[in-house]
Amino acid sequence: MDLPIVYYNETEWAKTHTGNKVNKKHAIAGTQNIVIAGKTLIEEGVTIRGDLATVKIGKFCVLKARCDIRPCLKIFSKKPTMCNVIIGDYVYIDEDCIVNAAQIFAFVHLGARAVLGNGCVIRECSRVLPDTVVSPDAVFPPFSTIAGNPARVIGTEPMCTENLMTEAMTMYYDNFVPRQGATLVP
Amino acid sequence: MSALLQYGKIKYECSCGKWRTLPDLFFCRHCFKIKCDDCSCREIDAIFCPRCLDTSSPPEARLKKHKCTSCNDCPNCANVLSARVENEKYYLHCHHCRWSTRDAKQEDRESNKSWPTKENPVTNHLNEVTAYMKRMEVIENAPKDLKKGKGKAWSAIHLKDKFGVQQMVEKRRKAMVPEMNPLKAHDPTEAPTLEEEIENRSNVLRSLDQIIMQPLTNSNELLLPVKVPLQGRVMVRCDECERTLVKRDFGVATYKFKISSFAREFIPDIRMSRPVGELKIGETAHVFLSVTNLSSSPLELTITPQSGEGTIKCSNEPIQLNLPSSKSIDSAAGGVHAEQSDVIVFRQHNRVGLRLDVVPTESDLTSPVLDLLLNYKQDGSFSILAASEKVLKPEESGVDRILSAHLRINLS
Amino acid sequence: MTSREVRVRCEALGPRRHTAVFAHDFNKFFFSFLYSLKIKRDKLSSNTQAVLESLKAARRSSSGVSTSSILSVSSTALSQAISSIDNGKSAVIVEVGSKLTKVGCAGELNPRLIIRTEYTDDNGKLVTADEILALNNRKTASKSIEYYEDLLHKFLKMIFLRVLAPTDRPVIVVESMFMSEDLRKAMTKVIVERIRCKSLMFMPSHVCATFPFNTQNALVVDIGYSECVAVPIIEGVTMLNEFESARSICGRQLERRVRELMEKYGQVEELGGERRALEEADWEDINNIRLIETLSVSLICLDRERSEKWKEWEAAEGEKPSIEVLCEENLVPVGGKSIVVPSVVFETSVEIFFDESLNPDSFDMSLPKILHRLVSKCSIDLRKKLFPNVLLAGGVSTIPGLMKRLEQEIQYIDEKNETKFAEVVKFYQFSEIKNSPLFVSWVGASLLGSLRETIERRSLTLDEWRTGKLAADWTDMIVKAR
Amino acid sequence: MNAEYLWRSIVESVARSNLIFRKKVHIMTDSSRVSIATSTIVCVEAEIKGEVIIKEGCVVHPHVVFDATNGPIYVGENNIFEEFAVIRNNSEGQPMIIGDSNIFQVHSKCSAKYVGSRNVIGVHAHLEDGCSVSDDCSIGPKCRVFSKQNLEPSVAVYGPSNSHRVTSTPNLTPTLQLEFLRKILPSYHHLYNKKKVTAAAQ
């Protein structure tokens, strides 16, 4: 199924020069520490806690409504540091996701209402099914399908996930079209 | 990722007859066949620990008993055990169920490397049994070699015997057969009384999962951290011509591929571009498909709807298309040919939108499935035969070799 | 293997220095013979080089070793080095049980991985053991053979690829002797043809159970999850026509009994402390956390006197007399309430093995009766040898107190029938490892798996399978004999 | 019986400490009697309704909801309330008492009667009304403590079916994290000070 064309009205959305489209009703704090690589969609109600540590988000990411990116607390030899969050390119984060992760690599798909524990790492091309609870400090190898509470690797993703994700995300971004003057680009 | 693009609705038929979604299929460029994960054999090309992602060579992995020395799992809820520091001493702590190595009466350690696990207490006895069995094997095999040996030696026995060489070989063979000191059998013992067996057993019930994670610890002993088992990274190989279909790059954490022949890059990728409206009996419903050519060669393809058993009758006649390859830069004819305008909805560089008319009958409503047959020709760049072979066996991989793919689309 | 051929092989081994070291002494010659058999003739690859160093180091450490003892490789360092050379490609040992599956490498002393016989397929549905091994009884297998072969294929592939590279290793499958022909053929087809293992060999689980104890005669009682099979093994020979099996003595029936007792006596303690009987919602919670399975793994087996007392306790109507209890009541907190597991569940669930009346829907006799009937079927001179050598295998026989109770019951039946089989009842057991019955037959197969030549001779390779030959099986003897 | 007695003694001790606290911080109180210690950091986006007393050293992230319309909420020292946490007092008039050095993670809902100290309330955790959590407990993500349920000290609630387990290792007190937050947050958020308090009162 190709992705449907999604219309949005221009007034609610802010467009940055690198092509990011950010919904105005967001709860992003500490915008100076947030670095987005471009062509990323951030829907309404998204919280990114840039005030606690820097957050790097790759290109062609999609952060659906009300998901929450928070840096995680790491305690190295008595000195607590809020280590920054690095999210790779072509990452799709569904609604109501709470991401306390240290690092999410490229081509990852986080299901709705997934909770990622403090300081966990999800490698490339993995998929987290909806309603999973990933425990803190968990590391998952590439191409793993993660599900359950506590999260387990229950299968492997198709090997060509990288091409699928690039295609899907570019299509999602292209089909995200302002309301007036919508040209027919299926 | 197939969830977002809902690849689950469209199944292609593999050469072994199984129906799989396109991302799960591979294409063997030597035997020109579609391969699914059932009819391709898989091998392990690297052994790595899924948590700290460091690789270990097979003999090293075997010495470590295929368990990673530095990563541990919680014995209570099989979750991540993270290390915590208290006055320079490490102890392991599980965030999920807050089990910690202090519960197992393990004092904190300086190095977080190898936490103790329960050794097999009967190792020596079983090693003796192994050695004893090996000696028995040598004895058992000795006469067989002898019999085999005599057959060959018999023909030359007269010559050899002249100089008494045969006796010398016999003497040497006897020296080879070790003398037998039979190992004392492990004698059976009295049955332990019930009280002995359940004294100081903790009244917290131990579930089956906790037992099978560390079978050696008895019920009256405390659970110890469980080492994370190593995993093998998979390499796919076509089972007919033993050629590798998919091989990942060096290094365990990479997602790049050294060799990758996914079916997506060799078969036109058909997807539904718009959800099908509500199916009503007798009325023609429109199915909008998008055909994409992701391969590196322009394809001429004909799509012929099949109306076999249990599939929806489609009233379109076969559609002729030719799709430029995704890599060719000359932008093909953007417009839509007049005569096929009713069928072709839009035409992009290497994508074409089609509209098929479908008339569902009574039986189709439960599981409406549209059956399509796809025959296409490529410009010969698919096969990896050496140039000389291409010339010698044109029909093997040449231009006029017609490839076909059979697919079913679930319209529900 | 004439000596000329051996010398050629030594030179081909590696640089001149190696042959000089090995050639001059006879027992060293024999040692290089054993060593050269394993290493292929091609160039000494880097890791075998490392292995060669470790071997030499090991041999140097045991250099003061006399000729005979060089074969009785007692020091573990040396045996480790030996086993790491010759099992460059050691066999994979798999035992697919109806509840648990044990996987590991030949030569090792405990299975590397014990997992449940189930897996979640790609659309998230849990495929349980009954579906994977459905071919075991064709009556209940509704779907086609190919469908079950696919399930078996996915399951075995998931096991193999998680631990070892199966494709260039021999595989030994520990089978129960009464596995159906279809399941055996399906398993052979999957392992040899679809997963492409080097070779396949089936080993009966009862004979394997006797290897770790290195005994010739034993009465092997395998109490698994789906059935219990008792077979006498005399002088290493399985006495097939004296076997006994019972469907009512197994893990599944134990869980049925635990569920019955919980329905009868189980209670739920509310937050306020008052207790009420179990309702539908509680059962749903119980199934979520698999409480019935956890309970059936932590039962105990009483001796005769206590079980008599419990029988009176249960028979007494109305107010129950107080009774001295070994393991007290257990509270399992789940979902805000806590489920009260009375001690009657822990102590009397195992009675179904000893009292037929508790299993209404099966005609099998109780466990001691079955063993007694088995011994009386044996020929006269063997009867004395069986009861002193009882061997319990299978996951269910790890219940504490089961051996003691079995001994008492057998001796009770012995007096009743005035037969004198059971003056002495002893058990083969590893007292240090309480869970050893769980994987004792796997360990036996692993010990056998470390013998290279015997496996190669007895296992079935792909081309033999292509010619229609089936894996060696004890039924061949009967077919040949007829 | 002693649970009732214990509860009454806690309420009296907290009432006494609140009186001392209010005298010290009289400038901050106003008609809606929201009184916040000077060293506490409360972000402006936090919604505080009804009678709430927050003692020293607490940190309240933005979008936290304190709903004390049905009954007063007394919060101890060094607590962390992460964003979207909801602290609602549903009991009629009964005070809700929260001890010190607790962590209420993102989207955690607490309408308990009493929360002790050094607890960790997980993401999406839900403390139903009338339950009481003693010290050193940890409620896992998406777990629930049912209404009128009392948790003994150092209990961990985890897993999809809220299994309980008594643990021996105490939770790490968030002192280090608190200092870090007190240093960082003021530079990014407007703080909830007197001006906002009077504005909320109208």
Side-chain angles (χ1 to χ4, degrees):
Chain A
M1 180 88 78
D2 293 346
L3 298 177
I5 299 171
V6 176
Y7 298 103
Y8 67 94
N9 63 44
E10 301 246 48
T11 55
E12 278 168 18
W13 286 73
K15 195 168 191 307
T16 68
H17 62 283
T18 50
N20 304 328
K21 291 175 182 164
V22 183
N23 190 314
K24 292 210 170 79
K25 291 205 289 300
H26 61 72
I28 294 176
T31 44
Q32 318 87 307
N33 294 346
I34 298 174
V35 176
I36 302 184
K39 292 199 175 1
T40 302
L41 301 180
I42 297 185
E43 298 213 347
E44 44 99 15
V46 167
T47 342
I48 301 182
R49 297 302 305 274
D51 50 355
L52 307 177
T54 59
V55 177
K56 285 198 196 61
I57 299 182
K59 62 181 190 304
F60 283 108
C61 281
V62 173
L63 274 70
K64 298 283 276 185
R66 294 178 307 284
C67 70
D68 184 346
I69 315 284
R70 297 184 91 256
C72 65
L73 176 81
K74 278 266 170 52
I75 301 189
F76 301 117
S77 62
K78 278 280 166 287
K79 194 173 58 53
T81 50
M82 280 287 202
C83 68
N84 39 32
V85 191
I86 301 162
I87 297 185
D89 316 339
Y90 302 102
V91 171
Y92 179 86
I93 301 183
D94 222 325
E95 281 112 2
D96 295 311
C97 249
I98 312 263
V99 179
N100 259 330
Q103 206 162 1
I104 297 185
F105 282 78
F107 314 110
V108 168
H109 173 211
L110 298 184
R113 298 172 303 284
V115 178
L116 268 66
N118 177 6
C120 71
V121 176
I122 311 273
R123 301 292 309 211
E124 290 90 352
C125 303
S126 310
R127 182 157 68 100
V128 179
L129 297 183
D131 296 314
T132 7
V133 175
V134 178
S135 44
D137 299 341
V139 178
F140 287 102
F143 293 102
S144 47
T145 315
I146 301 154
N149 164 7
R152 293 271 157 57
V153 176
I154 60 161
T156 51
E157 280 296 291
M159 295 283 191
C160 53
T161 308
E162 179 191 354
N163 318 357
L164 288 178
M165 269 302 253
T166 36
E167 201 187 309
M169 285 298 127
T170 37
M171 190 188 296
Y172 194 98
Y173 186 79
D174 299 345
N175 287 357
F176 199 75
V177 173
R179 182 161 304 289
Q180 318 88 311
T183 60
L184 185 64
V185 175
Chain B
M1 194 43 255
S2 53
L4 200 61
L5 291 173
Q6 290 166 9
Y7 264 98
K9 286 195 170 13
I10 294 150
K11 301 255 181 196
Y12 283 69
E13 189 181 20
C14 159
S15 57
C16 63
K18 298 223 169 28
W19 292 89
R20 287 286 186 279
T21 59
L22 194 58
D24 297 340
L25 290 175
F26 309 105
F27 182 80
C28 178
R29 298 173 68 165
H30 182 67
C31 18
F32 262 59
K33 277 217 179 79
I34 302 175
K35 288 280 158 192
C36 65
D37 53 1
D38 278 0
C39 58
S40 63
C41 54
R42 295 171 160 236
E43 273 152 32
I44 291 183
D45 57 4
I47 301 177
F48 68 103
C49 160
R51 189 140 308 151
C52 47
L53 294 174
D54 64 346
T55 59
S56 42
S57 66
E60 181 196 343
R62 199 173 327 106
L63 289 184
K64 287 195 293 189
K65 294 223 173 343
H66 269 272
K67 294 251 196 298
C68 173
T69 48
S70 56
C71 311
N72 296 304
D73 267 356
C74 163
N76 195 348
C77 63
N79 226 297
V80 187
L81 269 184
S82 32
R84 268 198 190 163
V85 185
E86 218 175 79
N87 41 54
E88 282 81 39
K89 284 259 187 63
Y90 285 95
Y91 69 96
L92 295 179
H93 171 83
C94 166
H95 283 281
H96 198 62
C97 62
R98 281 178 61 210
W99 182 89
S100 81
T101 40
R102 292 196 180 130
D103 295 4
K105 303 278 183 304
Q106 298 279 331
E107 75 296 345
D108 304 351
R109 305 160 55 86
E110 285 72 28
S111 86
N112 186 11
K113 263 291 158 268
S114 53
W115 285 83
T117 55
K118 177 108 195 283
E119 285 314 320
N120 190 334
V122 267
T123 325
N124 307 347
H125 167 69
L126 287 180
N127 279 346
E128 273 147 30
V129 172
T130 325
Y132 177 64
M133 285 171 87
K134 282 211 164 98
R135 276 214 310 283
M136 297 280 283
E137 182 202 22
V138 169
I139 296 160
E140 194 189 68
N141 293 348
K144 280 196 180 57
D145 299 350
L146 192 67
K147 200 156 33 38
K148 213 173 6 169
K150 187 186 287 87
K152 198 169 50 178
W154 182 255
S155 59
I157 193 91
H158 334 295
L159 311 174
K160 279 222 173 108
D161 242 359
K162 220 174 290 163
F163 310 103
V165 168
Q166 189 51 30
Q167 282 79 10
M168 198 263 283
V169 168
E170 278 312 315
K171 191 158 53 56
R172 176 169 293 188
R173 185 167 301 289
K174 283 223 174 22
M176 265 171 64
V177 175
E179 69 290 348
M180 265 293 307
N181 39 20
L183 184 69
K184 178 181 66 47
H186 180 105
D187 39 30
T189 49
E190 245 340 287
T193 61
L194 179 57
E195 283 68 23
E196 260 164 37
E197 278 186 276
I198 59 168
E199 29 94 17
N200 64 44
R201 191 169 84 136
S202 80
N203 64 3
V204 174
L205 300 181
R206 203 171 273 187
S207 77
L208 183 66
D209 294 323
Q210 287 161 358
I211 292 173
I212 56 179
M213 260 199 292
Q214 36 192 303
L216 293 176
T217 37
N218 300 334
S219 53
N220 45 25
E221 284 155 2
L222 291 167
L223 292 173
L224 296 171
V226 177
K227 294 211 174 316
V228 171
L230 299 181
Q231 248 176 0
R233 192 180 63 172
V234 165
M235 178 181 87
V236 184
R237 195 187 283 272
C238 160
D239 55 3
E240 271 137 46
C241 59
E242 293 299 329
R243 279 194 167 68
T244 54
L245 299 175
V246 171
K247 181 163 177 34
R248 291 244 302 265
D249 220 336
F250 186 69
V252 170
T254 62
Y255 59 95
K256 291 265 182 290
F257 289 93
K258 218 183 289 179
I259 304 165
S260 73
S261 64
F262 303 123
R264 272 183 97 246
E265 285 141 14
F266 296 93
I267 304 171
D269 177 3
I270 294 186
R271 286 197 297 255
M272 287 203 292
S273 61
R274 269 186 228 114
V276 182
E278 208 270 336
L279 291 172
K280 282 195 279 305
I281 307 163
E283 269 156 39
T284 64
H286 300 302
V287 177
F288 294 93
L289 300 178
S290 79
V291 187
T292 332
N293 168 15
L294 294 156
S295 63
S296 55
S297 92
L299 301 177
E300 298 102 26
L301 61 137
T302 58
I303 303 176
T304 50
Q306 309 280 101
S307 55
E309 28 64 40
T311 63
I312 286 189
K313 197 171 57 50
C314 171
S315 55
N316 292 62
E317 71 300 337
I319 307 154
Q320 299 289 347
L321 285 173
N322 64 58
L323 289 169
S325 84
S326 53
K327 303 202 176 34
S328 67
I329 29 103
D330 61 345
S331 68
V336 173
H337 301 300
E339 87 290 348
Q340 290 175 330
S341 58
D342 61 344
V343 177
I344 292 185
V345 172
F346 65 88
R347 175 186 284 276
Q348 260 178 351
H349 176 51
N350 63 345
R351 268 178 86 217
V352 164
L354 300 178
R355 181 169 54 91
L356 300 179
D357 307 335
V358 161
V359 180
T361 59
E362 176 45 44
S363 67
D364 299 334
L365 280 191
T366 49
S367 69
V369 169
L370 174 62
D371 208 326
L372 293 178
L373 183 63
L374 203 63
N375 299 331
Y376 58 98
K377 276 205 291 251
Q378 32 85 25
D379 68 350
S381 72
F382 276 10
S383 96
I384 46 171
L385 296 181
S388 58
E389 269 175 323
K390 267 194 198 153
V391 166
L392 292 177
K393 293 189 295 208
E395 89 299 336
E396 187 61 44
S397 67
V399 177
D400 46 23
R401 169 87 184 262
I402 295 185
L403 292 160
S404 78
H406 188 193
L407 62 137
R408 280 199 187 133
I409 301 174
N410 178 350
L411 302 179
S412 55
Chain C
M1 186 70 74
T2 60
S3 55
R4 192 190 61 74
E5 203 176 31
V6 168
R7 209 175 312 106
V8 164
R9 200 164 270 206
C10 281
E11 268 113 30
L13 250 185
R16 186 126 304 279
R17 183 170 56 76
H18 284 293
T19 45
V21 164
F22 277 139
H24 67 275
D25 175 328
F26 173 69
N27 74 53
K28 283 203 174 66
F29 145 72
F30 173 75
F31 207 83
S32 75
F33 163 76
L34 185 72
Y35 166 70
S36 65
L37 243 181
K38 310 299 175 298
I39 295 297
K40 289 199 190 59
R41 213 167 289 236
D42 44 29
K43 188 170 60 49
L44 219 54
S45 64
S46 63
N47 54 17
T48 31
Q49 186 68 34
V51 158
L52 185 64
E53 294 328 324
S54 73
L55 167 68
K56 277 228 280 307
R59 275 192 58 247
R60 223 170 286 120
S61 68
S62 65
S63 57
V65 154
S66 66
T67 332
S68 65
S69 66
I70 197 165
L71 297 170
S72 71
V73 281
S74 55
S75 66
T76 35
L78 189 53
S79 74
Q80 195 71 19
I82 288 263
S83 68
S84 67
I85 310 169
D86 69 358
N87 65 359
K89 282 292 165 270
S90 62
V92 177
I93 317 276
V94 185
E95 181 179 1
V96 185
S98 45
K99 180 83 173 178
L100 297 177
T101 304
K102 295 115 206 165
V103 192
C105 205
E108 289 191 359
L109 308 182
N110 43 10
R112 212 166 266 181
L113 202 61
I114 301 184
I115 48 172
R116 291 168 180 271
T117 316
E118 58 193 27
Y119 70 99
T120 46
D121 60 9
D122 31 31
N123 37 36
K125 193 171 69 60
L126 188 71
V127 180
T128 60
D130 322 336
E131 283 155 305
I132 296 177
L133 303 173
L135 282 174
N136 221 348
N137 31 34
R138 282 300 277 139
K139 304 186 291 306
T140 56
S142 54
K143 299 197 179 66
S144 73
I145 288 192
E146 285 73 28
Y147 172 74
Y148 291 115
E149 240 169 54
D150 280 355
L151 296 186
L152 197 65
H153 177 70
K154 284 204 178 65
F155 179 65
L156 287 177
K157 198 169 58 172
M158 190 262 286
I159 299 177
F160 282 148
L161 286 181
R162 227 165 42 155
V163 175
L164 311 141
T167 42
D168 44 11
R169 286 166 182 268
V171 172
I172 297 182
V173 174
V174 184
E175 50 147 6
S176 89
M177 284 197 289
F178 304 103
M179 192 155 80
S180 80
E181 203 51 41
D182 307 322
L183 183 59
R184 213 159 176 288
K185 211 173 280 148
M187 217 177 241
T188 323
K189 183 164 185 287
V190 162
I191 289 180
V192 172
E193 198 177 321
R194 300 218 352 220
I195 301 185
R196 282 287 157 71
C197 300
K198 200 170 91 169
S199 68
L200 168 68
M201 169 177 167
F202 279 101
M203 273 299 295
S205 63
H206 291 79
V207 183
C208 286
T210 60
F211 286 142
F213 302 102
N214 189 19
T215 78
Q216 289 308 322
N217 30 46
L219 168 59
V220 182
V221 185
D222 185 344
I223 310 174
Y225 182 70
S226 58
E227 66 184 351
C228 152
V229 178
V231 174
I233 293 185
I234 310 293
E235 300 310 329
V237 173
T238 358
M239 312 287 289
L240 270 178
N241 35 29
E242 277 93 11
F243 92 96
E244 283 289 341
S245 91
R247 281 215 173 281
S248 72
I249 302 167
C250 62
R252 207 188 300 265
Q253 295 301 325
L254 212 54
E255 280 181 9
R256 171 190 58 80
R257 179 64 180 160
V258 166
R259 190 177 286 272
E260 263 168 29
L261 286 175
M262 279 302 279
E263 263 148 17
K264 214 162 140 194
Y265 297 104
Q267 285 170 333
V268 171
E269 194 178 276
E270 285 297 337
L271 297 177
E274 81 279 1
R275 296 189 174 187
R276 56 165 171 76
L278 288 169
E279 280 126 12
E280 219 14 65
D282 311 324
W283 278 108
E284 221 242 327
D285 289 343
I286 288 178
N287 297 341
N288 285 349
I289 60 169
R290 293 190 179 187
L291 180 61
I292 297 294
E293 182 188 71
T294 316
L295 289 180
S296 76
V297 176
S298 32
L299 301 175
I300 64 167
C301 178
L302 302 173
D303 44 23
R304 276 181 68 80
E305 304 79 27
R306 285 208 189 86
S307 70
E308 298 306 335
K309 280 203 220 94
W310 271 110
K311 282 206 182 73
E312 291 132 22
W313 184 83
E314 277 197 64
E317 286 321 320
E319 190 265 331
K320 300 279 184 192
S322 79
I323 188 164
E324 176 256 345
V325 159
L326 270 178
C327 51
E328 317 75 21
E329 214 169 61
N330 204 309
L331 273 101
V332 181
V334 73
K337 331 180 264 304
S338 51
I339 295 186
V340 178
V341 184
S343 49
V344 73
V345 173
F346 288 113
E347 298 187 3
T348 58
S349 298
V350 195
E351 292 310 310
I352 60 169
F353 287 178
F354 302 101
D355 170 2
E356 296 94 15
S357 64
L358 295 173
N359 326 337
D361 51 10
S362 94
F363 312 102
D364 299 331
M365 294 158 46
S366 73
L367 186 58
K369 284 210 183 77
I370 281 183
L371 296 185
H372 202 273
R373 191 172 67 179
L374 180 145
V375 170
S376 52
K377 269 200 304 190
C378 271
S379 57
I380 305 291
D381 55 349
L382 306 178
R383 288 183 188 151
K384 280 281 177 295
K385 275 199 202 136
L386 280 182
F387 272 130
N389 308 319
V390 180
L391 192 153
L392 286 181
V396 176
S397 46
T398 54
I399 296 178
L402 185 68
M403 297 191 219
K404 195 65 185 173
R405 177 62 182 281
L406 208 53
E407 180 185 346
Q408 288 170 350
E409 289 286 337
I410 289 170
Q411 277 164 352
Y412 172 73
I413 295 174
D414 218 18
E415 287 122 24
K416 220 170 64 173
N417 304 15
E418 294 92 25
T419 54
K420 272 200 254 345
F421 307 147
E423 279 95 11
V424 169
V425 179
K426 286 209 176 120
F427 294 88
Y428 281 109
Q429 56 191 317
F430 288 122
S431 45
E432 306 88 353
I433 317 175
K434 291 282 185 304
N435 291 333
S436 61
L438 195 64
F439 49 86
V440 69
S441 47
W442 183 92
V443 171
S446 158
L447 298 185
L448 185 88
S450 55
L451 311 176
R452 310 282 318 143
E453 287 79 13
T454 35
I455 311 172
E456 269 130 30
R457 191 168 311 112
R458 286 212 180 82
S459 41
L460 170 93
T461 55
L462 179 59
D463 28 43
E464 281 164 3
W465 159 260
R466 285 248 164 80
T467 61
K469 183 165 172 294
L470 274 177
D473 180 9
W474 55 274
T475 50
D476 307 346
M477 267 62 95
I478 298 171
V479 168
K480 251 185 255 134
R482 203 169 298 138
Chain D
M1 194 5 239
N2 62 2
E4 203 50 46
Y5 170 74
L6 189 69
W7 169 240
R8 226 180 297 108
S9 63
I10 294 175
V11 169
E12 273 132 25
S13 65
V14 167
R16 241 178 284 111
S17 73
N18 285 354
L19 264 174
I20 306 157
F21 173 75
R22 266 220 197 89
K23 277 201 204 58
K24 190 151 56 59
V25 185
H26 65 280
I27 48 164
M28 287 288 278
T29 53
D30 60 358
S31 63
S32 80
R33 297 167 66 229
V34 174
S35 46
I36 296 166
T38 47
S39 67
T40 299
I41 310 278
V42 179
C43 298
V44 75
E45 297 90 354
E47 263 178 69
I48 302 185
K49 292 198 290 292
E51 186 205 349
V52 177
I53 296 175
I54 303 179
K55 293 214 174 54
E56 299 299 332
C58 287
V59 169
V60 178
H61 286 253
H63 303 291
V64 174
V65 173
F66 280 92
D67 175 356
T69 44
N70 308 27
I73 297 179
Y74 305 130
V75 178
E77 282 141 4
N78 299 336
N79 286 310
I80 297 182
F81 297 91
E82 293 186 352
E83 67 263 21
F84 299 114
V86 175
I87 316 292
R88 174 170 293 115
N89 187 347
N90 292 352
S91 61
E92 298 69 25
Q94 278 283 342
M96 167 196 268
I97 294 172
I98 294 176
D100 37 15
S101 63
N102 295 311
I103 302 179
F104 289 81
Q105 291 189 342
V106 190
H107 281 291
S108 62
K109 285 180 252 328
C110 164
S111 42
K113 192 167 65 170
Y114 167 71
V115 178
S117 45
R118 291 180 309 282
N119 295 308
V120 175
I121 315 292
V123 179
H124 276 301
H126 189 58
L127 305 184
E128 304 208 334
D129 36 19
C131 77
S132 84
V133 179
S134 54
D135 304 346
D136 271 316
C137 291
S138 92
I139 318 290
K142 293 197 176 174
C143 285
R144 282 160 52 130
V145 180
F146 293 83
S147 59
K148 307 243 172 343
Q149 178 175 2
N150 306 337
L151 284 186
E152 309 82 27
S154 73
V155 159
V157 180
Y158 61 98
S161 55
N162 304 323
S163 19
H164 286 230
R165 192 180 162 280
V166 181
T167 70
S168 60
T169 54
N171 281 337
L172 284 181
T173 55
T175 46
L176 311 166
Q177 193 181 357
L178 270 165
E179 284 142 24
F180 179 80
L181 288 174
R182 278 194 218 108
K183 198 154 40 55
I184 290 286
L185 277 185
S187 51
Y188 286 95
H189 296 274
H190 303 296
L191 292 188
Y192 189 95
N193 46 29
K194 193 168 174 320
K195 183 170 56 55
K196 181 73 174 49
V197 164
T198 46
Q202 271 94 23

